[in-house]
Amino acid sequence: MGELKLMKGNEVIAEAAIRYGCDGYFGYPITPQSEVMETLMLQKPWETTGMVVVQAESEVASINMLYGGASCGKRVFTSSSSPGISLMLEGISYLAGAELPCLIVNVVRGGPGLGTIQPSQADYNQATKGGGHGDYQTIVLAPASVQEMNDHVGLGFDLAFKYRIPSLILTDGVIGQMMEKVVVEDQKPRWTDEEIKEKYGDWATTGKQKNRKGNIITSLALESEVMEKHNIHLQKKYREIEENEVLFEEFQTEDAEYLFVAYGSSARVCQKAIEIARAKGIKVGLLRPILVWPYPKKRVSELADQVKGMLSVEMSAGQMVIDVKLAVNGRIPVEHFGRFGGIIPSPAEVVEALEQKIIGGK
Amino acid sequence: MADIDIKDIIKEENLIYTKPKVITDTVMHYCPGCSHGVAHKLVAEVIDDMDIQDKTIGISPVGCSVLAYNYLDIDWQQAAHGRAPALATAAKRLMPNHYVFTYQGDGDLASIGAAEILHACNRGENITVIFINNAIYGMTGGQMAPTTLVGMKTATSPYGRSTELNGYPLKITELIAQLPGVAYVTRQSVHTPAAVRKTKKAIRKGFENQDKKIGTSFIEIVSTCSSGWKLSPVKSNEWMEEHMFKFYPLGDLKDSEKESEESYKKYIE
């Protein structure tokens, strides 16, 4: 079923959230993702599904509104871009500490600082290594198409509620701004308050019931023994996610002698680079992590037994390459190629980098 | 006296006061003379009186009252420093049939959370704000707050608050009373039985306003911090009456429905 549309990546995030039965959006304008809130305001979902949409006074307020909504067991999300996400990190750490499910979309732009409004992948470390204070993780989804922007809204929420953890869609100005055809899902109903009480009444602030004490949503534990216990619990949960939720895709790896590792828009560039390289007789394939946390470590490690070298292609100064190197553990050469500050590498540049850094360098 | 058994005295008909049902048996961590205990009790009594324990969501702050969730048996969300009004905004909008209140100190509300409280009030969120103003950061050990009076000695203004160094104490309640989204703004205290009764009435009104959906209710309680002020509980009350009330006078600052769009149009014409 569903419906075929031609949409921008940012617009489909809004559309997908409404159709998924999301309860609330809280956000603050920032380029290149403002279309998310603009689409929501234009659609007026409060008149159809009852979804709440609030333009907050800042990213700090947005993320804390998310905390308030998620605490009620509601499905809430926000979107922003790099500097805005930096402002949200305190709140994301609280959400992770209090184990609140929610969805955060980061349409990454070039940094550091105010940087540029052009696309970038330089927030990989921030997204996949926690980002804020304390030992925590968020599930990180990395869509490479407008279709995946749609799909990852539902997947992000599903995983968030399965594990009581914030999910983060790590995308960039390319995917956010480009238009592609996309099949959107049929409208699903929002959960009723009764359904939420049934599903999450044991922890959510749905109003104190006679058969239980008041539910308390907090990330505070003044006694270090209690805090350590909570941390051990979180780490156990993260290991479980690493075990169960790895998601990746491969292109032409069957006969590959070399491998590109890339996610999101860089993976799209690599697909074209494979065509060019193969026309030259270079047998190269692509491993594309669909989730960048948990990371497909095992698959990278397996492929290290097959290929002669790997090139991590990222629109950053080299962040994901560290995860590739950890998985490969020195067995074969692993190099990074990237453009940054808002530049998208061309497929020809990527092939050239492969030839120089990996094939020439062996 | 020997023939009177205490058991004969503890009878339903002799009962003139009980602890509110909503208050738990957890021993409060507050210092002697602190206003939090009374303020907590009043919120609990209002929840009891209105019979809304199953429909109330409290938002606790960072500060001495961070652990308020241990003392009132309702559903609670514990906010990051200053962000309680943002949490309350979402909770109330998503659970419009519930009573949502924030409980915040002056460091939390008037300093780090100034943006969140102003904008929540300006949006006219249908929430109740309990604002405990003791002119000092209590939990971190008595540092200067935006509300600290001029000349007042604190851990970070050891020679007294100087306007040159630190500017002036912030009357955030007066600021909030200017906002058209706000329905009810009052400043009360809990230092005498009469004041306690007045404050309870104010809190009740603040909660009842949520039924009417007429905008934000903001209740400041001018409070003591004997430990931070380094005064005995009795001296603290005297000092508060003498100095705090002069700068933070008690009484209602606003009591009306939030402005409608029509009245705003008239106003700008």
Side-chain angles (χ1 to χ4, degrees):
Chain A
M1 293 295 279
E3 202 181 322
L4 184 67
K5 292 194 169 217
L6 178 69
M7 292 185 93
K8 264 190 185 185
N10 287 337
E11 291 167 353
V12 88
I13 291 276
E15 183 76 26
I18 298 170
R19 286 171 180 255
Y20 182 76
C22 172
D23 296 300
Y25 171 87
F26 307 89
Y28 186 77
I30 182 170
T31 311
Q33 64 76 51
S34 297
E35 294 88 351
V36 178
M37 185 162 36
E38 287 170 7
T39 305
L40 287 167
M41 290 297 186
L42 212 66
Q43 296 259 26
K44 295 198 276 188
W46 52 92
E47 287 181 2
T48 50
T49 68
M51 178 184 173
V52 165
V53 186
V54 179
Q55 177 165 341
E57 62 271 30
S58 67
E59 287 91 350
V60 174
S62 311
I63 198 70
N64 285 285
M65 288 177 185
L66 221 61
Y67 186 105
S71 295
C72 299
K74 300 277 181 178
R75 293 185 287 190
V76 289
F77 86 110
T78 187
S79 61
S80 188
S81 179
S82 310
I85 297 288
S86 293
L87 277 172
M88 288 185 183
L89 283 174
E90 182 202 30
I92 297 175
S93 171
Y94 274 67
L95 284 156
E99 296 188 90
L100 292 173
C102 61
L103 182 68
I104 301 148
V105 182
N106 183 3
V107 185
V108 181
R109 59 191 247 182
L114 196 52
T116 168
I117 57 171
Q118 308 302 329
S120 161
Q121 293 183 317
D123 295 358
Y124 176 91
N125 280 348
Q126 186 201 60
T128 59
K129 317 291 183 225
H133 60 284
D135 280 318
Y136 76 90
Q137 295 287 161
T138 54
I139 287 174
V140 188
L141 307 103
S145 64
V146 174
Q147 184 64 54
E148 274 190 342
M149 287 288 254
N150 173 80
D151 302 348
H152 286 187
V153 170
L155 179 61
F157 270 125
D158 290 347
L159 290 172
F161 275 85
K162 183 173 173 188
Y163 295 101
R164 280 187 64 183
I165 188 173
S167 283
L168 195 142
I169 293 180
L170 183 71
T171 183
D172 60 59
V174 178
I175 312 286
Q177 295 289 333
M178 80 179 169
M179 287 183 107
E180 282 186 314
K181 67 176 182 183
V182 52
V183 179
V184 291
E185 313 259 328
D186 292 332
Q187 181 65 53
K188 283 189 209 160
R190 287 174 52 232
W191 289 334
T192 63
D193 285 354
E194 286 315 307
E195 279 174 296
I196 292 172
K197 254 181 212 169
E198 179 102 344
K199 284 176 203 244
Y200 307 115
D202 57 329
W203 59 265
T205 58
T206 53
K208 186 200 130 50
Q209 300 304 299
K210 293 237 154 37
N211 58 357
R212 64 158 171 87
K213 285 196 151 196
N215 282 338
I216 299 162
I217 303 290
T218 184
S219 56
L220 173 72
L222 288 169
E223 292 162 55
S224 18
E225 287 79 10
V226 180
M227 199 63 221
E228 187 185 46
K229 224 176 129 189
H230 179 59
N231 266 280
I232 290 167
H233 159 74
L234 289 178
Q235 291 303 318
K236 213 181 131 200
K237 177 165 85 173
Y238 300 150
R239 296 299 86 77
E240 198 186 320
I241 296 169
E242 284 183 321
E243 196 59 44
N244 299 336
E245 306 299 343
V246 172
L247 203 57
F248 58 87
E249 194 178 26
E250 292 179 34
F251 293 96
Q252 305 190 33
T253 50
E254 301 80 16
D255 64 342
E257 292 176 2
Y258 301 99
L259 189 74
F260 291 132
V261 187
Y263 69 95
S265 47
S266 289
R268 297 286 289 265
V269 176
C270 285
Q271 276 178 278
K272 186 70 189 170
I274 288 171
E275 267 178 45
I276 299 170
R278 287 205 171 238
K280 285 181 165 185
I282 305 166
K283 285 184 178 169
V284 60
L286 166 69
L287 175 75
R288 176 175 78 90
I290 297 173
L291 261 60
V292 284
W293 195 89
Y295 197 75
K297 292 185 259 192
K298 270 188 203 153
R299 188 58 191 145
V300 173
S301 175
E302 282 165 14
L303 284 165
D305 291 335
Q306 177 192 323
V307 301
K308 296 176 193 161
M310 295 186 187
L311 186 69
S312 178
V313 182
E314 312 164 52
M315 279 145 48
S316 76
Q319 299 190 8
M320 186 182 70
V321 66
I322 294 159
D323 284 333
V324 180
K325 281 187 173 171
L326 279 171
V328 168
N329 201 14
R331 283 175 289 159
I332 54 164
V334 175
E335 295 293 338
H336 159 260
F337 174 69
R339 296 293 301 270
F340 30 94
I343 307 270
I344 305 159
S346 73
E349 273 180 301
V350 172
V351 176
E352 201 186 311
L354 178 71
E355 287 174 317
Q356 286 179 0
K357 293 188 166 194
I358 300 290
I359 302 172
K362 73 181 169 183
Chain B
M1 289 298 281
D3 52 348
I4 297 174
D5 191 336
I6 189 90
K7 281 180 194 146
D8 297 330
I9 299 167
I10 305 173
K11 284 181 197 158
E12 193 72 31
E13 62 264 34
N14 291 337
L15 203 65
I16 52 162
Y17 179 79
T18 59
K19 177 171 76 80
K21 271 193 306 190
V22 166
I23 293 265
T24 64
D25 290 327
T26 311
V27 177
M28 288 188 183
H29 69 284
Y30 299 118
C31 309
C34 171
S35 307
H36 274 308
V38 184
H40 280 23
K41 185 199 77 163
L42 294 181
V43 175
E45 282 182 359
V46 167
I47 293 170
D48 269 6
D49 294 350
M50 290 174 70
D51 194 21
I52 53 168
Q53 187 183 16
D54 59 340
K55 275 188 262 171
T56 303
I57 301 170
I59 318 284
S60 78
V62 170
C64 283
S65 49
V66 62
L67 296 174
Y69 54 69
N70 286 335
Y71 309 134
L72 268 68
D73 187 24
I74 52 169
D75 280 1
W76 282 97
Q77 303 178 6
Q78 192 273 310
H81 201 21
R83 318 299 176 211
L87 274 65
T89 295
K92 183 66 183 183
R93 296 232 189 171
L94 290 160
M95 312 276 279
N97 299 324
H98 286 62
Y99 296 84
V100 178
F101 75 95
T102 71
Y103 188 104
Q104 304 176 258
D106 49 301
D108 189 85
L109 182 144
S111 190
I112 196 164
E116 282 75 15
I117 192 64
L118 280 174
H119 286 280
C121 289
N122 195 45
R123 287 190 301 265
E125 301 294 344
N126 285 305
I127 56 170
T128 307
V129 177
I130 312 290
F131 170 39
I132 306 294
N133 178 11
N134 55 18
I136 208 162
Y137 284 85
M139 187 175 71
T140 42
Q143 294 83 10
M144 181 183 64
T147 41
T148 297
L149 300 179
V150 174
M152 198 171 154
K153 286 181 181 170
T154 71
T156 51
S157 58
Y159 306 106
R161 178 178 189 150
S162 129
T163 55
E164 245 174 73
L165 269 180
N166 316 115
Y168 294 85
L170 181 61
K171 291 187 180 187
I172 196 152
T173 305
E174 274 78 352
L175 236 139
I176 279 162
Q178 308 304 313
L179 303 173
V182 173
Y184 176 50
V185 183
T186 188
R187 185 185 280 125
Q188 302 293 338
S189 73
V190 290
H191 67 303
T192 64
V196 168
R197 276 197 290 274
K198 272 191 193 167
T199 303
K200 184 178 168 183
K201 261 178 89 176
I203 295 172
R204 171 93 189 217
K205 190 184 172 84
F207 273 74
E208 283 174 349
N209 280 350
Q210 293 197 34
D211 291 329
K212 300 183 196 157
K213 301 184 177 19
I214 54 172
T216 315
S217 296
F218 188 96
I219 297 134
E220 174 179 344
I221 303 173
V222 181
S223 300
T224 52
C225 177
S226 342
S227 298
W229 294 357
K230 306 200 186 322
L231 294 170
S232 72
V234 174
K235 284 265 182 254
S236 293
N237 273 343
E238 288 168 10
W239 193 87
M240 177 170 72
E241 284 187 75
E242 198 179 324
H243 301 278
M244 293 281 281
F245 292 172
K246 229 184 254 171
F247 193 76
Y248 300 115
L250 305 187
D252 288 353
L253 285 91
K254 184 177 181 185
D255 187 3
S256 64
E257 296 196 3
K258 69 175 167 186
E259 308 283 335
S260 64
E261 217 159 303
E262 289 72 42
S263 69
Y264 177 71
K265 272 178 201 154
K266 264 182 220 159
Y267 171 74
I268 54 171
E269 276 162 18

